[in-house]
Amino acid sequence: MSYLETTHNVYKEAALTPDVGLCCTTNPIWELPGLKIPKIMQEMNYGCGSTVHARDLTNNPKMLYVGVGGGMELLQFAYFNRQKAGVVGIDVVDEMLEASRKNFIEAEAQNPWFKSDFVDLKKGDAMNLPVEDNSIDVAAQNCLFNIFKADDLKQAIAEMYRVLKPHGKLVMSDPTCEQPMNDALRNDERLRALCLSGSLPIAEYVKALTDAGFGTIEIRARKPYRILDPKNYPTEELIYIESIEVAAIKDPMPADGPCIFTGKAAIYYGDQDYFDDKEGHVLLKNQPLAICDKTAGALKSLNRDDIFISESTFHYDGGGCC
């Protein structure tokens, strides 16, 4: 049995018998004005963060969500669209698609504005999406890509890039791990399916996105997720796993490389009203400006004594240098 077959079976079981503890149980449940999330959707919320950000969802974007779970984030996305087939949900597991359809009936009963046909559920594979090229404004996946091994991850990201419109966004939440994992963990198909042993270091995760052509990367959140301990897992050391929320934007790749925002800021505190580096970055005196890591390096290389560059916070909420 391949690891993808194991993953299929894990989520088939989770569709037939909701498993509250399958993934992170501290995910935010955004109940916005007029939006009610059915309890069954909350129980089947198999993610590790949130991919729902209001600033991504203005002007009725066409949305795609891969790996539907119980349908909670599909419902949240539909809240911002409210059009027939405005949100496309794709899953390879028949039982999960059927569970979502049933959950949407409950969502209709609790939300007068919602209609099930706002979400177009389709059977499909993340490595071969049944979606046209350049047709999606916002694509999302939650706790799915970390399951894939390298070649499959490359293909899944390439598929997301293909279907996005120019300047479209791929919004993701996945577990990450900066510590090395042994082969027993990496090759345990069930642990990989449970979103644990496939976790990559952030730098490798980001590189997979930029290698696919995404010109702008935003790391929006980084928070604790799970512990793999020697008593319960095949490891001799304690392994700490975090989850990150990331947006990859289908911007043209800059000639000097991608803009990667990891939560750095620059503050100019010199004698003038502002500092202009002549490269498109103007720092107003005593006003922090969010900057990408590339710009941070360029400003630091000036060796000025009146510009402060913060460390990465791994939290970026928009605006800034690029």
Side-chain angles (χ1 to χ4, degrees), residues 79-119:
Y79 176 87
F80 292 91
N81 188 286
R82 306 192 186 195
Q83 297 181 36
K84 184 176 180 179
V87 183
V88 179
I90 292 176
D91 207 298
V92 73
V93 180
D94 291 319
E95 291 79 5
M96 198 65 81
L97 290 167
E98 182 58 29
S100 290
R101 290 189 180 96
K102 291 179 180 178
N103 293 348
F104 287 144
I105 295 173
E106 180 65 25
E108 282 188 341
Q110 296 186 29
N111 295 274
W113 59 268
F114 177 69
K115 300 184 187 312
S116 291
D117 65 7
F118 289 175
V119 181

Side-chain angles (χ1 to χ4, degrees), residues 89-260:
I90 292 176
D91 207 298
V92 73
V93 180
D94 291 319
E95 291 79 5
M96 198 65 81
L97 290 167
E98 182 58 29
S100 290
R101 290 189 180 96
K102 291 179 180 178
N103 293 348
F104 287 144
I105 295 173
E106 180 65 25
E108 282 188 341
Q110 296 186 29
N111 295 274
W113 59 268
F114 177 69
K115 300 184 187 312
S116 291
D117 65 7
F118 289 175
V119 181
D120 182 13
L121 289 174
K122 297 181 178 182
K123 183 171 182 177
D125 190 321
M127 273 83 78
N128 186 24
L129 296 172
V131 180
E132 294 180 0
D133 294 0
N134 305 309
S135 62
I136 299 295
D137 295 296
V138 178
Q141 64 83 22
N142 196 332
C143 218
L144 171 65
F145 280 4
N146 72 96
I147 294 172
F148 294 140
K149 295 184 178 181
D151 288 345
D152 291 335
L153 176 61
K154 181 178 179 180
Q155 179 61 26
I157 294 173
E159 276 293 276
M160 289 290 211
Y161 187 89
R162 176 184 65 80
V163 303
L164 281 170
K165 297 176 183 178
H167 307 292
K169 292 181 180 180
L170 169 57
V171 187
M172 300 161 287
S173 181
D174 274 305
T176 61
C177 182
E178 301 303 316
Q179 296 169 258
M181 289 196 191
N182 61 44
D183 289 342
L185 287 170
R186 289 294 189 198
N187 295 327
D188 188 309
E189 294 179 357
R190 185 167 179 83
L191 290 181
R192 185 173 282 273
L194 293 174
C195 304
L196 295 172
S197 63
S199 306
L200 296 174
I202 291 175
E204 290 185 28
Y205 188 95
V206 169
K207 187 177 186 300
L209 296 168
T210 58
D211 283 351
F214 288 99
T216 301
I217 309 294
E218 303 175 352
I219 298 181
R220 296 176 167 179
R222 179 180 181 180
K223 52 194 174 184
Y225 179 64
R226 292 291 174 84
I227 291 291
L228 303 183
D229 67 280
K231 292 181 180 179
N232 296 291
Y233 299 92
T235 175
E236 295 181 357
E237 63 174 341
L238 203 71
I239 295 178
Y240 172 53
I241 300 176
E242 298 173 298
S243 68
I244 58 169
E245 295 176 12
V246 177
I249 304 172
K250 193 176 177 178
D251 289 338
M253 183 65 68
D256 57 353
C259 291
I260 301 170

Side-chain angles (χ1 to χ4, degrees), residues 25 36 51 140 205 209 234 268 290:
T25 57
K36 293 296 181 183
T51 63
Y205 188 95
L209 296 168
Y268 169 66

